[in-house]
Amino acid sequence: MKKLASVFKVLLVALMISSLFVTSAFAAGLKGEELSLGSEDSGYKIIVPNFIGIKTVDVDGFDVTVVVMETPEKDSNGNYPIFEIVTTDEDAYYVDSFPGIYYEGQVGNFSGEFDNGRLVYSPNLAIGKDLKDISKDTIFTFDFEVYDKDYNYLISFYGLNFMFENKSESTTPAEETVVKANPTSSKIVVNGKEVAFEAYEIGGNNYFKLRDLAMALNGTEKQFEVIWDNETKSINLTKGQAYTPVGKELEVSQNPSVKEAKPTQSKIYIDGEEVQFTAYTIGGNNYFKLRDIGKVMDFGVTWNGKLKTVGIDTSVGYEE
């Protein structure tokens, strides 16, 4: 099956119908799932509140990768806060966007200025009804372009495909949300030493097998234990405790291939406290976003785009 679009990477057809122009009036600071745009060294990411998952949708025989979230509420100005754009690019000043419905046409305009590198993407959608009344199978496109203070073009992000599900009517169980996981091609260095991992890239982020990370960090000050509780179907992590190998840690397939990933259904506890992570089950193993684990276990995570190298450093704490 052909790959028509992947999140944040594929240019969609320009949509040329008139619509409303609005500027974001929301204060930045949304909480939700962080998704990198383009690549981890692009300097851009979005924060999606009420994130449900990422899934692949068949549209006329083509695979379209879509972010699924709960339907946002319209504010008093008629705007829908979809996600927050966050950037480390000091030249980024202004965003211009033409939101649309996939294969149908443009349904609004959006423009806004960054405030300390943050901007809530909140268009006024001219759809003739409330977003909650739109079919949950409708795919929206929220592509945008970034400009500097002189309105010189800096960068674009295309293929931002979104679907909404009303909280009270959601019929898509998390286990049915399936996404393609691509083998990570980056080199991985742990405390200055290259280590082979069978890791995967999903939505612009690297996901690692939890037990592989525990094994690689064993004996360091950031080591942690991983225990599976079969009775409660939960994953229990203990900070500072030596990891007990169960076999097959850090094994790498000879020719890693694209695989299907489903959201992990197990509850996750750290030092006895339940935490919420976006995690996936791939080939029977649980994979976690590297930066999520780095943050809770407080070890350094770096990305060298020039050398295509992911760095893990247990001698320093985590930094965004």
Side-chain angles (χ1 to χ4, degrees):
M1 190 173 285
K2 297 179 181 179
K3 190 76 171 177
L4 180 63
S6 61
V7 178
F8 318 136
K9 293 182 181 179
V10 177
L11 177 64
L12 300 182
V13 177
L15 305 171
M16 303 298 294
I17 62 176
S18 62
S19 59
L20 302 174
F21 176 89
V22 297
T23 301
S24 173
F26 291 89
L30 297 182
K31 293 183 178 180
E33 178 69 12
E34 294 183 5
L35 300 175
S36 298
L37 297 182
S39 65
E40 290 196 346
D41 62 343
S42 72
Y44 289 82
K45 64 182 178 181
I46 60 173
I47 299 175
V48 182
N50 300 315
F51 174 82
I52 294 176
I54 300 173
K55 68 178 180 180
T56 302
V57 180
D58 186 337
V59 180
D60 296 332
F62 295 97
D63 283 346
V64 180
T65 305
V66 178
V67 176
V68 185
M69 65 179 289
E70 290 180 9
T71 308
E73 294 287 338
K74 184 192 295 186
D75 78 345
S76 59
N77 296 318
N79 301 328
Y80 288 100
I82 308 298
F83 51 76
E84 183 175 24
I85 307 168
V86 182
T87 182
T88 56
D89 185 351
E90 295 181 357
D91 292 327
Y93 176 74
Y94 176 85
V95 163
D96 199 20
S97 174
F98 301 92
I101 293 178
Y102 199 82
Y103 272 166
E104 291 188 19
Q106 183 181 329
V107 294
N109 276 16
F110 172 79
S111 178
E113 297 178 0
F114 284 100
D115 181 6
N116 292 321
R118 308 179 79 95
L119 169 65
V120 174
Y121 181 90
S122 49
N124 186 316
L125 301 176
I127 52 181
K129 58 180 74 176
D130 285 339
L131 192 58
K132 63 181 176 60
D133 297 323
I134 295 287
S135 169
K136 69 181 181 64
D137 295 324
T138 300
I139 300 176
F140 287 82
T141 60
F142 296 130
D143 309 333
F144 63 87
E145 298 178 342
V146 183
Y147 298 83
D148 66 14
K149 284 187 176 181
D150 298 318
Y151 298 97
N152 295 311
Y153 169 82
L154 295 177
I155 195 170
S156 301
F157 295 101
Y158 294 101
L160 277 74
N161 305 312
F162 276 70
M163 294 177 69
F164 302 103
E165 291 190 2
N166 297 333
K167 190 173 183 179
S168 60
E169 300 175 1
S170 178
T171 58
T172 304
E175 61 266 22
E176 291 183 6
T177 303
V178 178
V179 65
K180 298 291 178 62
N182 297 296
T184 296
S185 58
S186 307
K187 182 169 67 173
I188 299 140
V189 175
V190 180
N191 293 334
K193 180 181 178 182
E194 185 174 353
V195 178
F197 287 87
E198 187 158 313
Y200 291 87
E201 182 272 327
I202 301 172
N205 294 292
N206 289 309
Y207 284 78
F208 285 66
K209 193 185 301 182
L210 191 58
R211 289 188 178 277
D212 283 356
L213 280 173
M215 189 71 172
L217 270 56
N218 215 16
T220 73
E221 58 183 299
K222 302 299 172 65
Q223 67 183 5
F224 61 93
E225 175 67 297
V226 180
I227 298 294
W228 167 253
D229 189 326
N230 193 53
E231 185 176 339
T232 61
K233 305 299 182 185
S234 63
I235 302 167
N236 296 273
L237 311 181
T238 306
K239 294 180 182 179
Q241 189 170 320
Y243 173 66
T244 305
V246 297
K248 297 188 176 182
E249 286 86 355
L250 295 174
E251 284 191 359
V252 179
S253 302
Q254 200 164 25
N255 295 299
S257 59
V258 176
K259 293 185 178 180
E260 287 191 343
K262 295 182 179 181
T264 295
Q265 298 302 298
S266 307
K267 289 187 176 182
I268 303 155
Y269 296 88
I270 296 180
D271 293 339
E273 214 171 297
E274 186 174 2
V275 294
Q276 300 297 324
F277 283 132
T278 299
Y280 290 92
T281 299
I282 304 173
N285 294 295
N286 291 308
Y287 282 75
F288 288 72
K289 191 187 299 183
L290 178 60
R291 288 191 177 275
D292 283 352
I293 299 300
K295 189 171 185 176
V296 296
M297 297 301 173
D298 196 31
F299 59 77
V301 178
T302 60
W303 166 252
N304 186 319
K306 186 176 181 181
L307 299 177
K308 301 295 182 185
T309 300
V310 177
I312 298 174
D313 187 349
T314 61
S315 68
V316 299
Y318 179 82
E319 291 185 5
E320 292 288 353

